[in-house]
Amino acid sequence: MYRKHLQEIPSSSTNVSTSLEWDPGKTSELLSGMGVSALKKDRLGNENTPQDLLVSSPCLPPKRQKVKDNEKDFVIVRRPWLLREAESGISLDALPDELLLAIFAYLPLKDLLKVSMICKRWHRLSFDESLWQTLDLTGGNLLPGVLGQLLPAGVTVFRCPRSCIGDPLFKTSNLLKIQHLDLSNCTVSAADLHSILCLCEKLQNLSLEGLVLSDSIIKSIARNPNLIRLNLCGCSGFSAEALELMLSSCSMLEELNLSWCEFTATHVKAAVNHVTSKITQLNLSGYRENLQIADVKTLVERCPLLVHLDLSDSMMLKPECFQYFKQLVFLQHLCLSRCYQISPAALVELGEIRTLKTLQVFGIVTDSSLQLLEEALPDMKINGSHFTSIARPTVGNKKSHEIWGIKCRLTLRNPSFL
């Protein structure tokens, strides 16, 4: 991670919004909202550096200097060692900002929040945006105000699936710097979700899987022209008109997962007619009677660069749609599971697509017919995976702190205790 030269680090942070100004009471509330116990106040009252972090020996009681009998009225009392200049060693207070930042970079999330309580200088440094690039609060119970303090600290990668999110209570209207955001399967109101997304215009990857959305949320997503991957699997609550606006605005999309949303036939037509032609991976599974063969024709003509296409659980698809799949010269992965009007024998025709490497047809073929199909299509891997990875932030090991291949440094290790 790139570090600023010492002379470039200002005396008061310019990287942190005014909502992060030092206030012991407010910081204690933040720590409580994160499930982190605050440090006890320094007994000796040193405003800057905690005495227990100084390089020192244990504090001894004041010693009295021996005096002569005729000087009984004059006594010299030595100051405690901790309040005197250290004769040996270095106080952490003497370290420049650059070195303290390097030390703080090794602290886990809860310890970083604790040291922010020490003093004004440490609070400013502990919220330097160089320390808050990646944040993982998976499974946390985030009380109101927590995200309103943490996200403006310069977070660019935020992983927070399966969490309970309270009102962020942002104290600034400045745009956030988030580029990669995963809020899949969270418990969060549409209003609170909108308060986050309306401040995001730099998103490249976004996953809102399983959430109830709104037209205002979809319109906020539309203000991210550099969006590359979008996962709205299982979402609901927005109109076909809002969907059309979003797809027309997000012209850089390469991966899109719109599977199993609460879509009508109008939603499906809005999707196939307005998805960008640059799309390479698309999941439109789960639309049963609402996805027609004519929609497949429109989709193929509009998106010639498709490499991975999932149209599973589409009851209206028949073998006649294969002619359109053959037009996709880059197609490598095709999913047609539970498209029951397609017979196992008809699938052999897909062998004419020379680029096709994998074929998922669960529910169509039995174990016996699968063996025959594998013999007919020896160069194709059939029914190798039940799940699609299109636009999903985390695939495989859910214990990984990565989203879209980016590892998060600051993590909650015991979210169940929040």
Side-chain angles (χ1 to χ4, degrees), residues 197 200-204 220-227 249-250:
L197 290 175
C200 297
E201 295 186 4
K202 297 182 178 180
L203 291 173
Q204 297 179 20
S220 293
I221 297 174
R223 291 197 292 269
N224 290 268
N226 295 320
L227 197 60
S249 301
C250 299

Side-chain angles (χ1 to χ4, degrees), residues 183-184 193 197 206-211 213 217 221 231-232 235:
L183 299 178
S184 302
L193 180 59
L197 290 175
L206 175 63
S207 180
L208 302 176
E209 182 167 340
L211 302 188
L213 309 181
I217 290 175
I221 297 174
N231 178 22
L232 297 183
C235 290

Side-chain angles (χ1 to χ4, degrees), residues 27-82:
T27 307
S28 296
E29 293 177 4
L30 171 63
L31 294 174
S32 298
M34 295 286 294
V36 181
S37 58
L39 292 175
K40 295 180 180 179
K41 188 176 181 181
D42 185 1
R43 286 179 308 176
L44 297 179
N46 188 320
E47 188 275 341
N48 209 16
T49 305
Q51 303 301 336
D52 59 345
L53 294 181
L54 291 173
V55 180
S56 63
S57 58
C59 180
L60 300 176
K63 293 183 178 180
R64 296 195 173 202
Q65 190 81 357
K66 290 184 179 180
V67 295
K68 297 178 181 180
D69 292 338
N70 60 352
E71 297 177 344
K72 290 182 180 179
D73 294 334
F74 181 72
V75 178
I76 299 176
V77 180
R78 291 182 177 178
R79 297 168 60 196
W81 194 93
L82 287 174

Side-chain angles (χ1 to χ4, degrees), residues 218-244:
I218 295 298
K219 291 176 182 178
S220 293
I221 297 174
R223 291 197 292 269
N224 290 268
N226 295 320
L227 197 60
I228 297 175
R229 298 179 185 89
L230 176 60
N231 178 22
L232 297 183
C233 171
C235 290
S236 60
F238 55 95
S239 66
E241 291 76 17
L243 175 64
E244 179 180 327

Side-chain angles (χ1 to χ4, degrees), residues 326-339:
K326 295 175 184 179
Q327 297 175 21
L328 296 171
V329 297
F330 300 105
L331 187 63
Q332 297 182 20
H333 311 284
L334 180 62
C335 305
L336 297 173
S337 297
R338 295 168 298 281
C339 295

Side-chain angles (χ1 to χ4, degrees), residues 4 30 43 69 74 90-91 117 120 134 210 217 240 244 295 308 317 367 394 402-403:
K4 295 181 178 180
L30 171 63
R43 286 179 308 176
D69 292 338
F74 181 72
I90 301 175
S91 164
M117 292 281 290
K120 292 181 180 179
T134 59
I217 290 175
E244 179 180 327
D295 297 323
H308 191 165
L317 298 190
D367 291 341
T394 304
E402 293 186 358
I403 55 173

